[in-house]
Each structure stands twice: as C-alpha cells, then as structure tokens.
Amino acid sequence: MIETIRWTEAGVAMIDQTRLPREESYVTCTTYQQVADAIRTMVIRGAPAIGVAAAMGVALGMQTAESASEFDNICDTLAATRPTAVNLFWAIDRMRRVYAGLRGRPVEDVRARLIAEARQICQEDIAINECIGRNGAALIPDGKTVLTHCNAGALATAGYGTALGVIRSAVASGKKIDVFADETRPFLQGARLTIWELQHDNIPATLITDNMAGHFLHSGRIGCVIVGADRIARNGDVANKIGTYGLAVLAKENGVPFYVAAPISTLDLSIRSGDDIPIEQRAAAEVTHVQGVPVAPEGAQVANPAFDVTPNRYVTAIVTERGVARAPYLESLPNLVK
Ligand code: MRU
C-alpha cells in the first residue's frame, strides 16, 4: 500500500504530493514549522492526512520544546495552516487532551506519549477507511462506471482512502467497475493523484476534464458519484474540493446517486449548516499557471476558493465507519456519533 506519512527517528516523512506523478519522493520534516509548511503548500493534503500530519507535528515540536508553554504555540501554528478540513482541528484537539492528561509527568514520558498518540491516530485512520470501504461497497452498482472528484484516496489519508477506499472494497468484493476521475482544476488532484493511485492498484481508470462530467452523467454510463469530504455540517451539508457542488447538481439532474465517504472525524456537529464552514482561498498562481506554466495573461484577476459546499438535498448518503447515514441528516448524523 502507498505510504502517505510515517513517523521516523529522523522526523515526519511524507510522500511529496506536489511532485507526483512525475517523481515518487519523500520529504522528512524535522521541525513542526516544516510540517506546517508541508500542509500549507500541499506536500501533504486531504482532510484525514493533514489531521495525521498535524498530530505528528505536535509530537515533533514537543521533542525539542524547552518549556511546556511552547505547546500552545505549536498547536496554534499547525491549526493556522488550512481552515476548511475539520480533521486538522480534531487531531490537534485530541493531542491537546492527551497533553493535558500528562501534567506533572517527566518530560521524556510526555514526549514518548505524544509520539505514541500521533502514531495511533495514523494507524486508526487506515482501519477506519477499511471500515468505510466495507460499509460503502454495497452501494456501488456492479458493471457500471464510478465518477470521483479530487483525490480521496490513500494519499489523502493515512492509507486506503475514503471514496477510493469504497471503490477498492467494491473491486475486492468482485464488482466489475471502472472509474472516471475528473482532473480537478486548479491543483489537479484527480489527474495527478487519483489516476496514479488507481493505476497502482490496477483499477481501470479514465481521466476526464472537469467540464466533461455533465456529458458523461447524462450518457447513462455512470452508476454513481462518490467523493470525500473536508467538513460535514450537522444538517448534512458537505464541504469538499471546489467543483463538488456542480457534480452533485448534475448527478441529481440525471438521476445518478451522489455518495460522500468520510470518517466520523469529518463531521462537525457544532455547526448547523454549510454556511458556517470557512472556505479556504488559495493563491492566484494556482489558477493562472499549470505546473508553473502561465495559461492566463499577466495581471488577470483571479478567484480561487479551494472548496465549495454541497447542500444536503443533493447527497444521497454519507458513508462512515459507523454506518451509512441518509436524510434527514439532522437525525441520522447525531445518531451515528452517539
Ligand atoms: O485541497 P485538498 O487536496 O486537501 O482537498 C482534498 C479534498 O477536497 C478531499 O476530497 C477531502 O479532503 C477528502 S480526502 C479523504
């Protein structure tokens, strides 16, 4: 299996997702500031993966911290990297709780315990994704094409993936399916990462551009759409990679089920609707340039929201490790969390 991130003696090692698929190389972050930079610049990306990275960043920062007062600063630096995916804050909060329970313990114990917790979050994530995969496999229609957006695979998690985990599990159960991955402008997670991952697993995959989705959803070939999520509000509104909302509307228009696969840690029951989800705005250069090559005139005004919110009425079901939630989400999601 592809290894996204690992705790090592030398620091936090992660596959550099900005270089894939041209180059499979690992970077090792030796300070928490480097981990924060890796999250910000998307060397590591995907909601569960940045949660794991943040947890390891907290543990790494405390290995050299000279006083307990540095803990909050480390957590705050990592929390300021990306605003939308709630898994980042969930993982940091979990590290905060562990740290609070260690008050008064020898510094070596504290350091070891923080490493152990971060590694545990990493391992748990793989098991959770395998479970999401098992819970979602039955939803995937046999003999049809599955359309996915962005990368919600092993690379976006500690391993196996959420949406791609469901696809992997459906394939393992014997279903004859193939995958359409849209390229996911502007960062091209679909073209660069999802196609690379599916090729790795010998799952038949076809790359399409984002604007081809409507054409194929209308054709009758697509059996379902499945995507991941960065944050899910209590009412089932889903924040995910920009472009998800358009796909969901096109899916409903064409009578194609639209599924979201995500761990319970992606649910944010503290917010009532998607209107309260902060949307990250990223640099203009991601839109004006493709892999460093300019594609727009210099000085072009750019908007670059990295995520959008899909209203719950477009979401056929949300697949989690604890089961499958359907509308009304205000009832089904809190029931899963209980
Ligand atoms: O900007 P990214 O690449 O971090 O965005 C990733 C996504 O939107 C994924 O679909 C989401 O995090 C789910 S990953 C299992």
Side-chain angles (χ1 to χ4, degrees), residues 6-255:
R6 181 154 51 109
W7 179 272
T8 72
E9 286 292 308
V12 181
M14 38 185 101
I15 193 164
D16 187 342
Q17 300 193 31
T18 64
R19 293 182 179 272
L20 285 172
R22 294 185 318 276
E23 191 184 312
E24 281 176 46
S25 59
Y26 280 79
V27 292
T28 300
C29 300
T30 56
T31 65
Y32 77 91
Q33 292 94 337
Q34 287 176 4
V35 175
D37 276 346
I39 296 172
R40 202 176 296 110
T41 59
M42 291 168 71
V43 164
I44 187 156
R45 34 66 50 203
I50 64 176
V52 173
M56 289 188 178
V58 171
L60 183 64
M62 288 309 285
Q63 300 309 301
T64 49
E66 281 169 9
S67 77
S69 61
E70 284 184 51
F71 185 79
D72 281 339
N73 186 35
I74 293 168
C75 290
D76 293 347
T77 302
L78 289 156
T81 50
R82 297 193 73 191
T84 304
V86 75
N87 309 62
L88 181 80
F89 309 102
W90 168 87
I92 293 171
D93 282 350
R94 182 161 154 177
M95 296 301 280
R96 280 189 200 275
R97 281 197 301 277
V98 167
Y99 186 67
L102 293 168
R103 200 159 291 146
R105 296 267 290 275
V107 67
E108 287 315 317
D109 285 6
V110 172
R111 288 177 173 161
R113 183 67 190 83
L114 291 173
I115 295 173
E117 189 69 14
R119 295 177 90 163
Q120 170 93 10
I121 291 174
C122 186
Q123 276 163 16
E124 278 175 13
D125 186 58
I126 300 173
I128 286 169
N129 293 331
E130 287 169 349
C131 202
I132 291 172
R134 282 192 295 276
N135 289 342
L139 299 174
I140 304 293
D142 201 1
K144 301 280 274 187
T145 298
V146 182
L147 174 60
T148 191
H149 183 60
C150 191
N151 171 267
L155 291 166
T157 62
Y160 201 68
T162 55
L164 291 196
V166 173
I167 290 170
R168 287 193 163 98
S169 180
V171 169
S173 75
K175 288 192 173 166
K176 298 274 170 285
I177 55 172
D178 71 315
V179 180
F180 270 26
D182 62 30
E183 59 181 352
T184 318
R185 274 283 285 152
F187 210 71
L188 301 175
Q189 290 94 330
R192 297 188 300 107
L193 308 176
T194 296
I195 295 290
W196 181 79
E197 256 198 69
L198 292 171
Q199 282 182 345
H200 217 264
D201 274 14
N202 289 318
I203 296 175
T206 302
L207 175 63
I208 61 170
T209 64
D210 298 330
N211 50 3
M212 294 174 188
H215 171 79
F216 285 111
L217 280 162
H218 182 71
S219 73
R221 173 173 182 166
I222 311 287
C224 72
V225 180
I226 187 160
V227 298
D230 288 84
R231 198 187 289 229
I232 301 173
R234 187 149 41 109
N235 70 346
D237 289 353
V238 174
N240 190 49
K241 180 53 51 193
I242 191 77
T244 302
Y245 175 32
L247 270 188
V249 175
L250 283 167
K252 190 168 184 122
E253 162 72 13
N254 290 285

Side-chain angles (χ1 to χ4, degrees), residues 233-236 271-272 312 326-335:
R234 187 149 41 109
N235 70 346
I271 55 170
R272 212 196 123 77
N312 57 29
R326 292 181 188 264
Y329 292 106
L330 276 174
E331 285 171 23
S332 58
L333 291 177
N335 275 342

